[in-house]
Amino acid sequence: MMRQVLHIDMDAFFASVEQQTFPFLRGRPIGVCSHPQGRTVIATASYEARAYGVKTAMTIPQARKLCPEITLVRCNLAKYIDTSTRIMAICSRFTDSVEVFSIDEAFLDVTNTAHLFGGADTIARKIKQELSGRFGLTCSIGIAPNKLLAKLVGEMHKPDGLTIIRPEEVPVLLEKIIVEEMCGIGPKTAAKLHRLGIKSCGELGRYPEKALVRIFGVKGVHLHHIGKGIDESPVRPYFHKPPAKSMGHSMTFDKDTRNMAIIRHHLFQLSEQVGRRLRKDNYAGRTVSLVLRYADFTTMVRQHSLKNWTNDGRRIYQTGLALFYKLYQPPRYVRLIGISVSNLIQQTRQTSMFEHPETLRSAVDNLNNRFGEFRVTRAQNMKNMNR
DNA sequence: TCTGGGGTCCTAGGACCC
DNA sequence: TCTGGGGTCCTAGGACCC
């Protein structure tokens, strides 16, 4: 049975949410970023800003050069998560097969429910209408026989687009699509394909599968499928969301530094944040990874596996700090540090396998969850340091 | 004022055990 | 006294996604 899959992608999501919250931002070029004064990049640019060439991942100076009148807005992730949750709830009214692909993207398998609403295209129009009416937000929707193609065609008419591709139209489409437009083919793979004389998906699909496997390993099979427009992967409902594999935080210093007190201070804060997030969802992990990026952008990762699972910020910090000292080459300036915990297990309730009593930490967590990060923290952390 | 921050998956080599 | 082979865990690095 031919499947009917919708891909829904919110248009300039973070920026559009901000423009809805603050009407004076509407119609103006804005960029959302994590901390507008610091060393950061544009997370999302409004369409007005995109008209000037401002794009995601651009630095603030670059964006300002292209668009001097751009308004920078601080990222408010909690608000976007809240809006996203409500958007996903609306999608769930049309099928229980909704996969939350990212904060602003979802796949819907409507194969079994389309007839209840008058067809997949009607569902798409209803969702658009609903999101516009309730939130003032637009989205772009692609409808296709599988996720790969739904995502591809959904991107063809942004913003506020609706693109449908029928099975018989797929071969002609694939001839027109260049490989780097496909989800899963990044710059490195695209360059490698170009060297093989492969530009379009049609060409990729005709390239012998065996040769692709020889060159790319297991990924060759996947590439062959991409070239043919084949994707059997199911839409995974959000309630089957797999457990997390890792949790981490990192930060770029506003100025490169080699001041150990500053580095330790931020490493400690990042570790506490990671521990708190692990505890919030009842995770504990055994492997601690430390990321270190020098001023010249060389980036290194070192990891260490512990004997016991932990979700204690202090334990994570101690392990991370030991890794830092092993890795760090002293006179060099540090640009970024990060810490993450992997090898996770999830408990349904608190058990004795954690190293320390939970009572104090969960009380501190509750306070911080309610009143904000680091309102209550360890005395060691109180020295007021600037980034 | 070049180059954020959060993830997942894959590969490849070495240690170690049977 | 010529050493195979399978399995698992660990670590480092890279590609890719939003």
Side-chain angles (χ1 to χ4, degrees), chain A residues 152-304:
Chain A
L152 174 75
V153 301
E155 277 156 13
M156 287 170 56
H157 299 109
K158 275 178 124 339
D160 203 15
L162 171 54
T163 313
I164 304 166
I165 183 90
R166 285 169 229 292
E168 60 272 20
E169 301 164 339
V170 172
V172 175
L173 175 75
L174 291 176
E175 294 303 324
K176 286 188 272 189
I177 298 296
I178 52 168
V179 287
E180 44 266 69
E181 286 182 69
M182 292 301 242
C183 185
I185 300 181
K188 303 280 176 176
T189 308
K192 222 164 151 180
L193 290 171
H194 290 170
R195 271 179 256 130
L196 296 170
I198 301 170
K199 289 258 186 314
S200 73
C201 273
E203 286 163 351
L204 179 58
R206 284 189 293 275
Y207 207 83
E209 186 177 359
K210 277 194 178 151
L212 289 174
V213 171
R214 188 159 24 82
I215 298 159
F216 292 95
V218 228
K219 223 180 82 178
V221 181
H222 186 223
L223 287 172
H224 180 71
H225 285 160
I226 290 178
K228 293 246 180 234
I230 296 169
D231 177 19
E232 305 283 349
S233 70
V235 172
R236 284 176 223 284
Y238 63 93
F239 43 83
H240 290 154
K241 188 179 146 224
K245 298 265 168 79
S246 70
M247 280 188 196
H249 286 296
S250 62
M251 63 152 305
T252 297
F253 295 105
D254 282 346
K255 260 180 71 184
D256 299 336
T257 184
R258 53 185 181 192
N259 179 328
M260 279 313 300
I262 292 176
I263 291 169
R264 278 197 305 264
H265 170 79
H266 285 101
L267 186 59
F268 182 82
Q269 289 211 333
L270 293 167
S271 305
E272 285 278 292
Q273 280 176 273
V274 172
R276 203 151 66 71
R277 258 179 73 215
L278 288 166
R279 295 194 292 278
K280 184 165 160 276
D281 295 329
N282 287 318
Y283 282 103
R286 274 184 55 227
T287 304
V288 176
S289 304
L290 182 98
V291 187
L292 173 54
R293 175 172 294 155
Y294 289 109
D296 68 0
F297 226 73
T298 52
T299 307
M300 286 186 264
V301 186
R302 287 294 176 276
Q303 65 179 53
H304 177 78

Side-chain angles (χ1 to χ4, degrees), chain A residues 3 5-9 84 87-88 91-92 95-110 146-148 151 231-242:
Chain A
R3 287 191 296 159
V5 177
L6 267 69
H7 177 254
I8 296 170
D9 189 350
S84 174
I87 289 167
M88 300 303 172
C91 292
S92 302
T95 170
D96 57 1
S97 188
V98 176
E99 176 173 335
V100 178
F101 189 65
S102 74
I103 191 163
D104 68 341
E105 282 179 57
F107 289 104
L108 278 66
D109 189 327
V110 299
N146 62 46
K147 284 159 67 175
L148 180 77
K151 185 163 164 62
D231 177 19
E232 305 283 349
S233 70
V235 172
R236 284 176 223 284
Y238 63 93
F239 43 83
H240 290 154
K241 188 179 146 224

Side-chain angles (χ1 to χ4, degrees), chain A residues 5-8 90-91 94 108 110 114 117-132 139-143 160-164:
Chain A
V5 177
L6 267 69
H7 177 254
I8 296 170
I90 288 169
C91 292
F94 299 95
L108 278 66
V110 299
F117 300 96
D121 54 328
T122 311
I123 291 180
R125 285 190 196 94
K126 282 185 176 175
I127 289 173
K128 279 171 158 294
Q129 207 180 329
E130 193 83 6
L131 298 188
S132 146
C139 64
S140 296
I141 301 186
I143 305 178
D160 203 15
L162 171 54
T163 313
I164 304 166

